[in-house]
Amino acid sequence: MRNGEIVTAGVLALFSLYLMWKSAELPVGYMAGQGPGGGFWPFWLSAVMLLACGMIALNWWRGTSPPSQSDEPLLDAYGWRTLALVGGGIVVFVGLINVVSMYGAIAVFLLYYMRFLGRHSWTLTVSVALIVPLAFFFFFEGAMRITMPSGMSFTDPVFDVLYDIIY
Amino acid sequence: MEILALLGDGMLLALQPLNLALILIGVTVGLFIGAMPGLGSVNGVAILLPITFLVPPGSAIIFLAAIYYGAMYGGAISSVTLGIPGASTAVATTFDGRPLALQGKASLALVTAALASFVGGTVANVFFTLFAPALASVALSFGPPEIFALMLLAFATFVGLGGDDIPKTVVSICLGLVLASVGFDEISGEPRLILFEMQGFLQGIGFLVLAIGVYGIGEMLWTIEQSRGEVTTTTPRMTARGMLDDTKEAVRRGWKGTWIGSLLGFFVGVLPAAGATPGSLMSYGVAKMVSRTPEEFGKGTPDGVAAPEAANNSASTGAMLPMLTLGIPGSPTTAILLGGMVIWGLVPGPRLFVDETEFVWGLIGSFYISNVAALVINLAFIPLFVWMLRMPFTILAPMIFVLSIAGGYAATRDMHDVWLMVIFGLGAFFLRKFDYPLAPAVLAIVLGPIAEPTLRQSLLLSSGDPSIFFTRPIAGPITVIALILIFLPAFKLLRRRRAARRPAA
């Protein structure tokens, strides 16, 4: 935790520097007759954020904040594994949306999560992985008229059938 | 009298078939969300907000408010039967609710919680109905300096009263405010903060992207990583006869805690940083302090269940007061409701009471209806909720992720925002690990678009002289209180140091 604390503060400090630099593309001071410039608000807020990161670093150095006193690892092996399997699963899920459509990606994600992380039976897994995306389809496309990404062209036949039902 | 007429109209509006149905569904969903460990009202409201675009704004907010209400009742269910709080607002409920359950009195604890919640909700609703119109009419005369001073006060309460690490709270606030300013500078019309030159940032960062990222993805990851242990459920035996006896005992041994929680909860709930969690903890503490038998607290006394449960319901209504009258949310959940109102095309603030009378009074009327609905549904279906709590997290969690991603896309219809949501979620997970509070960031991204223009307009009015925030009769005192709150932690630190040095000298 101790190393993580200073690394996090460092990353946030760098990000605030970047935000200050980006804000400075617009005037950051007071312009006569126009009030504060467009960069004024984000620039000074980022500056305050940088200052706060400095204080976090100071507290880390003096060891006054709980994470800076802790010798425990940020995540143990189980924690990293969980993060990789669940967080990674979400990233793959979002990546798949433009390939196999929003609904296809939902089905794949549910299948993966329930079967491989949850160890549920195939019957339960497959029924949930089919019912949920179908329910979502009728809710979003049918009731709310929101078109979700339909992925690459190979999904068209399925969507043709589904759209025939709602239109 | 006029208030009663308006309230009557509002209740009739809330009783219309669509609204009543939404109240019943909302309360039930809220009870479930509140009961599920790791999910609280804020998660429920953030994740479900996109699906409310289906109904008119007046009904949508009634639905979300019903979820908020139900979640406050539901938190007690898992606090008592599992011994783990269903939501942070029900942490204090475990102190005495769990011991009662282990003594075989789970049913008494649940009945006490439900009754106390009902009284807390009712007291808060009456206060709300009395205070809100008056506060709104005062707030109508507010100009940019007053509104900015109120924003400052909202953030100052996080620094002064939030109880989290102060530099980390400041980082969270600033980050939210800066993210809110991405997109275009509304006054000059120039593009601003187009991060990494990505075109997706031209349309800004919606508050829902951050809210769903934090509450739908980040907090869920955190809960999955934390909750690796086994939990044992205490199943309460609920019979009509037994519940009647429990009601008598709850009234006899829990009335004191109920009143303390109802009154204290409301006023703590009104403060922006505080909300229901500290409100319920404080009420527990006060109930213990004034009790004639403080030694019973922690071992299972109905007063110890009643105080926090009355307080969290009272506080959730209290948090709506500044949201509706001043446009400043009193809690993270109301911050999301406020953001929703902006999406629905309503301008939050005192003008709502003038321009959108029907919307405001329909919502207030729905508070009363939701309160009754939550009490009845809660008591009638406790066994069902307890059964649902056994649903493995490996079914619930992927459903929440799926709903977050699909709902997030539906709200903005842009894959850029979905990716951003995932990045915010992963970032929120790590920040949460290092004790960064995230609620201030969500509040900030909602308030940013109001705070910045009011600051700039005020400074333009005064030709750049910041004394405008101190010299106006209403803005002045608010700014001073805000500054005191901001510097409060520094004063405390200095005093502690001086006290530490004295014995050495």
Side-chain angles (χ1 to χ4, degrees):
Chain A
M1 288 297 260
R2 195 171 150 72
N3 290 336
E5 171 88 342
I6 194 67
V7 170
T8 314
V11 170
L12 285 168
L14 282 177
F15 189 55
S16 36
L17 277 172
Y18 173 72
L19 289 171
M20 281 169 79
W21 174 70
K22 276 305 266 187
S23 308
E25 288 175 357
L26 296 175
V28 298
Y30 189 85
M31 302 192 319
Q34 293 176 38
F40 171 82
W41 174 258
F43 180 84
W44 292 105
L45 282 168
S46 310
V48 173
M49 189 168 138
L50 184 65
L51 206 70
C53 290
M55 281 173 70
I56 295 172
L58 188 70
N59 286 341
W60 168 82
W61 183 67
R62 295 197 314 211
T64 48
S65 64
S68 61
Q69 297 161 346
S70 154
D71 291 329
E72 274 177 46
L74 166 63
L75 289 167
D76 55 14
Y78 175 90
W80 282 114
R81 210 179 80 96
T82 311
L83 182 69
L85 289 176
V86 177
I90 295 173
V91 171
V92 173
F93 165 30
V94 176
L96 278 177
I97 291 175
N98 277 334
V99 183
V100 295
S101 82
M102 175 67 85
Y103 307 103
I106 289 177
V108 172
F109 179 72
L110 287 174
L111 211 64
Y112 158 76
Y113 203 113
M114 288 182 60
R115 181 66 208 172
F116 295 99
L117 300 185
R119 313 234 170 258
H120 294 286
S121 69
W122 274 114
T123 334
L124 181 70
T125 307
V126 172
S127 26
V128 171
L130 280 179
I131 293 168
V132 171
L134 275 177
F136 273 42
F137 178 83
F138 289 112
F139 183 79
F140 285 112
E141 317 259 340
M144 288 176 74
R145 303 277 172 216
I146 291 174
T147 317
M148 292 273 182
S150 58
M152 293 177 174
S153 54
F154 68 85
T155 64
D156 287 352
V158 183
F159 277 96
D160 288 343
V161 176
L162 288 170
Y163 280 121
D164 273 346
I165 303 174
I166 56 170
Y167 290 113
Chain B
M1 266 305 112
E2 196 200 336
I3 288 181
L4 283 181
L6 286 165
L7 181 64
D9 289 346
M11 282 195 190
L12 285 179
L13 201 69
L15 283 171
Q16 282 175 0
L18 171 68
N19 292 342
L20 186 64
L22 287 172
I23 286 178
L24 295 178
I25 300 172
V27 164
T28 312
V29 171
L31 276 163
F32 177 68
I33 286 173
M36 258 350 230
L39 285 180
S41 61
V42 62
N43 309 84
V45 170
I47 298 165
L48 294 178
L49 197 142
I51 69 165
T52 61
F53 298 141
L54 189 63
V55 292
S59 306
I61 195 159
I62 286 177
F63 175 68
L64 295 176
I67 294 181
Y68 193 14
Y69 234 103
M72 293 297 152
Y73 274 86
I77 299 176
S78 46
S79 293
V80 172
T81 59
L82 303 178
I84 37 176
S88 67
T89 49
V91 169
T93 313
T94 53
F95 300 164
D96 277 274
R98 186 61 179 163
L100 277 174
L102 293 176
Q103 293 160 24
K105 292 183 188 162
S107 151
L108 172 65
L110 289 170
V111 170
T112 310
L115 290 176
S117 296
F118 180 73
V119 175
T122 310
V123 169
N125 284 341
V126 172
F127 280 169
F128 188 99
T129 317
L130 292 176
F131 292 155
L135 191 58
S137 64
V138 173
L140 272 177
S141 62
F142 286 8
E146 282 75 26
I147 298 174
F148 182 74
L150 280 171
M151 301 284 150
L152 197 64
L153 182 65
F155 294 118
T157 48
F158 272 107
V159 177
L161 307 174
D164 293 299
D165 187 295
I166 288 153
K168 289 178 181 173
T169 310
V170 174
V171 167
S172 180
I173 294 172
C174 292
L175 194 63
L177 288 173
V178 175
L179 290 179
S181 71
V182 167
F184 278 89
D185 170 23
E186 276 187 32
I187 293 178
S188 68
E190 285 172 274
R192 173 166 74 172
L193 283 173
I194 308 307
L195 305 175
F196 312 106
E197 309 304 328
M198 287 164 81
Q199 294 304 303
F201 284 111
L202 274 170
Q203 46 175 333
I205 299 174
F207 88 97
L208 256 184
V209 174
L210 182 70
I212 299 183
V214 169
Y215 293 113
I217 298 176
E219 287 228 329
M220 288 306 294
L221 280 174
W222 189 81
T223 308
I224 293 169
E225 199 260 324
Q226 292 284 313
S227 65
R228 39 185 93 173
E230 289 283 314
V231 233
T232 45
T233 332
T234 315
T235 315
R237 273 205 215 114
M238 310 288 285
T239 58
R241 178 80 183 274
M243 271 163 79
L244 207 66
D245 292 340
D246 287 336
T247 308
K248 281 183 201 151
E249 198 176 347
V251 172
R252 195 165 52 83
R253 295 175 60 201
W255 65 270
K256 218 171 174 181
T258 307
W259 284 108
I260 292 169
S262 306
L263 298 176
L264 197 62
F266 184 79
F267 293 102
V268 177
V270 171
L271 300 172
T277 307
S280 59
L281 285 163
M282 277 167 69
S283 301
Y284 183 86
V286 173
K288 185 177 175 181
M289 212 163 65
V290 303
S291 169
R292 249 182 252 143
T293 50
E295 68 281 356
E296 280 180 17
F297 278 73
K299 292 179 191 145
T301 172
D303 262 334
V305 177
E309 277 306 306
N312 63 31
N313 272 66
S314 187
S316 62
T317 307
M320 299 261 195
L321 182 75
M323 176 196 77
L324 276 179
T325 55
L326 306 173
I328 296 175
S331 67
T333 314
T334 45
I336 293 169
L337 290 178
L338 189 87
M341 280 159 65
V342 175
I343 299 181
W344 298 321
L346 298 162
V347 184
R351 288 220 57 88
L352 274 180
F353 277 78
V354 183
D355 302 335
E356 306 282 347
T357 329
E358 210 172 74
F359 172 85
V360 168
W361 286 100
L363 175 63
I364 299 175
S366 85
F367 292 167
Y368 288 85
I369 315 276
S370 296
N371 198 22
V372 177
L375 177 73
V376 174
I377 296 176
N378 184 359
L379 284 180
F381 295 106
I382 283 174
L384 182 71
F385 288 116
V386 173
W387 176 76
M388 287 206 296
L389 280 180
R390 297 216 186 113
M391 178 161 145
F393 217 61
T394 42
I395 299 180
L396 187 70
M399 301 261 209
I400 289 168
F401 288 133
V402 160
L403 197 57
S404 297
I405 301 285
Y409 181 85
T412 67
R413 303 183 203 188
D414 188 350
M415 279 309 285
H416 168 82
D417 283 339
V418 176
W419 281 113
L420 209 54
M421 216 158 68
V422 175
I423 292 168
F424 284 150
L426 293 172
F429 170 78
F430 283 106
L431 288 182
R432 170 108 201 234
K433 287 279 294 172
F434 290 110
D435 297 339
Y436 285 79
L438 296 167
V442 174
L443 197 74
I445 202 169
V446 173
L447 293 185
I450 313 170
E452 187 196 353
T454 51
L455 172 70
R456 288 169 72 179
Q457 284 159 6
S458 306
L459 287 177
L460 194 58
L461 276 175
S462 68
S463 322
D465 182 3
S467 72
I468 187 170
F469 297 112
F470 296 94
T471 49
R472 294 175 51 126
I474 296 178
I478 302 177
T479 312
V480 171
I481 297 172
L483 290 180
I484 292 175
L485 281 173
I486 292 175
F487 291 106
L488 190 69
F491 286 136
K492 275 195 199 151
L493 193 73
L494 276 179
R495 251 180 55 186
R496 219 180 303 142
R497 279 219 192 129
R498 209 171 292 162
R501 217 173 293 151
R502 209 168 290 149

